[in-house]
């Protein structure tokens, strides 16, 4: 019989408990007959401390480009500034836009208040406030830009629905805050409605993230797949993993069109390192997702069922050990050996997994992105100025005569609150004010040179501009919040 094809995979053993849980995970995969060709790379603390601010060498990028599959143990980010997050760098460099975190309860074998919980969080992984675009504008004000793009929303929302369809899940919920962020979260919501309409068999719902989070923490059984922008997903996937049993149990997949990275959701737990104590389950369950992704669903099913049987048999590491429920307290190595010894067995009480219909890589296929062809016209500008001492009346008086080219000073706002005209005297203000100049007739458009002229005049009048935001109409519809 010809040998089954092996798949090249890049492996990093990481820091802290990383090497131990990776060794345990690889031993289980090997025991299950995984067909892997492993390329090892070094990442993390040692690389950072050698002066590489990204924590990863060029040769490691070459390996990832070759294999396109990365099994990564947690790393330690050294204390102090100047170190870039390796996770954020890898996600962005390889366009790993979807973060998938199944959060499942294993009651009664692992303590949880939510025995029926079986939720998959699909988190957008590249956009939102994670773009790292931050500035100190004035003495008083720091700014972080939240960027949400239509192609970004389309990719993640379609991935969530495709995932639900592929894994036989019944409902996809969207968490957003579009009662406040009407444009950014509003776009995510709109795309959810548009793409959701293509998946008639799947139930759809959306929650405002605050009350949705409360409901998730209280009644997680009410949810199935939840898709959300980056920041909400980052926070709520940890909450979901913890209430399911433990963050130490959850694995995660970071999926892009070309590459994918698989990991545990927890960190390198340095205090537990080198003592054969750590639970390898989070990384192992990440590796199970990897096996499915690379088309080795047969092995994934075998090792995952053996793991479930081990949990059910009460063979537990210290973090999930509970007197009266657990039968045997084991170390990292012994836990892995117990799983290997059960390969071929299925759990009797926990639900066995069935990956026979699970799709491998094609989950990322989707229609080509079509940019809308609306007419984009500049109709005004918000000029952010540093105005530390004067009143808003004084600022308005200085600016009003400067507006030309059909523009009119429409309003001043401070931290998003209108302070002129008709401001409230009680409103607290800081040293950065947004000055809105808008077409006085509300029709037509202005050339970009009008903005340049305005800025010149403002500078001559002694008003310092910090930045500008163009006000654009799209087919006559305002592409900016109406203050
Ligand atoms: P952590 O997740 O490493 O550990 C928190 C605590 O959880 C530990 O002290 C331990 O008691 C427990 N724990 C975590 N994983 C466990 C496991 N597998 N088995 C048993 N117990 C486990 O979080 P932290 O202490 O905040 O961070 C430590 C380091 O990890 C930091 O340098 C941080 O930057 C890094 N980190 C890395 C990643 C990653 O590489 N993906 C993620 C988060 C944190």
């Amino acid at each position: 019989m010809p040998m089954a094809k092996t798949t090249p995979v890049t492996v990093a053993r990481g820091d802290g408990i990383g090497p131990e849980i990776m060794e345990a995970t690889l031993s289980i995969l090997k025991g299950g007959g995984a067909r892997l060709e492993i390329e090892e790379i070094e990442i993390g603390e040692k690389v950072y401390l050698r002066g590489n601010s990204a924590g990863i060498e060029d040769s490691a990028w070459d390996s990832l480009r070759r294999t396109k599959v990365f099994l990564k143990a947690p790393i330690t980010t050294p204390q102090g500034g100047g170190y870039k997050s390796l996770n954020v760098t890898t996600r962005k460099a390889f366009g790993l836009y979807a973060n998938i975190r199944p959060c499942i309860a294993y009651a009664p074998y692992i303590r949880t208040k939510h025995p029926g919980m079986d939720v998959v969080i699909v988190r957008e992984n590249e956009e939102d406030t994670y773009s790292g675009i931050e500035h100190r504008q004035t003495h008083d004000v720091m700014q972080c830009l939240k960027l949400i793009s239509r192609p970004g929303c389309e990719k993640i929302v379609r991935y969530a629905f495709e995932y639900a369809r592929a894994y036989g899940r019944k409902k996809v919920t969207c968490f957003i805050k579009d009662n406040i962020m009407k444009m950014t979260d509003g776009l995510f919501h709109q795309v959810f409605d548009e793409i959701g309409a293509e998946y008639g068999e799947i139930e759809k719902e959306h929650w405002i993230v605050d009350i949705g989070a409360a409901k998730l923490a209280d009644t997680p059984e009410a949810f199935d797949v939840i898709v959300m922008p980056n920041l909400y997903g980052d926070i709520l996937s940890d909450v979901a993993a913890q209430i399911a049993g433990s963050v130490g149990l959850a694995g995660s997949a970071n999926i892009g069109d070309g590459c994918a990275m698989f990991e545990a959701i927890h960190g390198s737990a340095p205090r537990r390192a080198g003592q054969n104590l750590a639970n390898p389950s989070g990384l192992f369950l990440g590796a199970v997702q990897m096996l499915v992704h690379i088309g080795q669903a047969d092995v994934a099913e075998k090792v995952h069922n053996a793991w479930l049987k081990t949990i059910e048999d009460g063979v537990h590491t210290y973090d999930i050990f509970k007197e009266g429920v657990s039968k045997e307290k084991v170390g990292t190595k012994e836990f892995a050996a117990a799983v290997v010894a059960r390969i071929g067995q299925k759990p009797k009480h926990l639900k066995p997994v069935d990956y026979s219909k699970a799709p491998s890589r094609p989950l990322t296929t989707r229609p080509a992105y079509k940019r809308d062809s609306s007419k984009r016209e500049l109709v005004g500008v918000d000029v952010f100025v540093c105005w530390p001492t004067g009143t808003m009346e004084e600022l308005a008086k200085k600016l009003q005569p400067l507006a030309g080219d059909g523009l009119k000073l429409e309003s001043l706002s401070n931290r998003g609150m209108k302070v002129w005209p008709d401001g409230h005297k009680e409103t607290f203000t800081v040293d950065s004010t947004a000055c809105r100049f808008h077409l006085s007739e509300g029709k037509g458009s202005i050339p970009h040179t009008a903005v340049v002229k305005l800025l010149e005049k403002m500078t001559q009048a002694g008003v310092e501009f910090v930045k500008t935001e163009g006000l654009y109409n799209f087919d006559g519809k305002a592409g900016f919040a109406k203050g």
Side-chain angles (χ1 to χ4, degrees), residues 176-177 179 207-215:
I176 21 78
K177 184 84 186 166
N179 54 335
W207 288 76
I208 298 295
V209 63
D210 38 28
I211 188 64
K215 175 90 174 164

Side-chain angles (χ1 to χ4, degrees), residues 17 72 74-77 87 263 266-269 271-272 279 318:
I17 58 171
K72 175 186 157 292
I75 59 152
T76 302
T77 313
N87 268 3
E263 58 184 345
H266 60 75
S268 59
R271 280 191 308 128
R272 310 285 177 194
N279 187 347
Y318 84 94

Side-chain angles (χ1 to χ4, degrees), residues 229-387:
N230 205 341
L231 178 61
Y232 313 143
D234 190 2
I235 298 167
L236 292 181
S237 56
D238 270 24
V239 171
Q242 184 64 22
I243 64 172
S246 161
V247 280
L249 282 178
S252 136
N254 297 272
I255 307 283
D257 286 338
C259 281
M261 174 169 84
F262 302 86
E263 58 184 345
I265 76 167
H266 60 75
S268 59
R271 280 191 308 128
R272 310 285 177 194
Q275 298 159 64
N276 191 36
L277 277 174
N279 187 347
S281 298
L283 183 61
F284 167 75
L285 291 173
V288 168
Q289 291 192 64
M290 177 187 81
L291 290 173
V292 175
H293 176 81
I294 62 175
Q296 298 189 25
D298 55 335
V299 186
E301 187 173 310
K302 229 187 324 179
V303 293
H304 197 166
N305 279 328
W307 178 85
L308 287 167
K309 181 78 168 71
T310 310
I311 294 295
E312 192 180 273
D313 286 347
V315 182
H316 294 167
T317 43
Y318 84 94
D319 55 313
I320 54 171
F321 187 88
K322 193 178 155 222
E323 265 338 311
V325 176
S326 306
K327 300 264 161 41
E328 203 184 328
K329 193 189 267 184
V330 291
T332 315
K333 282 184 197 155
E334 294 73 25
F335 180 82
V339 178
V340 173
R342 286 166 178 77
I343 285 173
Q345 297 182 39
K346 284 188 179 174
K348 291 203 172 66
H349 305 288
L350 292 170
K351 193 170 155 230
V353 292
D354 174 4
Y355 289 128
S356 58
K357 294 196 190 82
S360 50
R361 301 180 203 242
L363 252 184
T364 54
T365 53
R366 59 178 175 271
Y369 174 65
K370 250 176 76 190
R371 186 168 295 136
D372 88 73
S373 56
S374 55
K375 188 165 173 216
R376 179 169 168 269
E377 290 176 301
L378 186 64
V379 296
V381 62
D382 281 344
V383 185
F384 289 73
V385 303
C386 180
W387 186 253

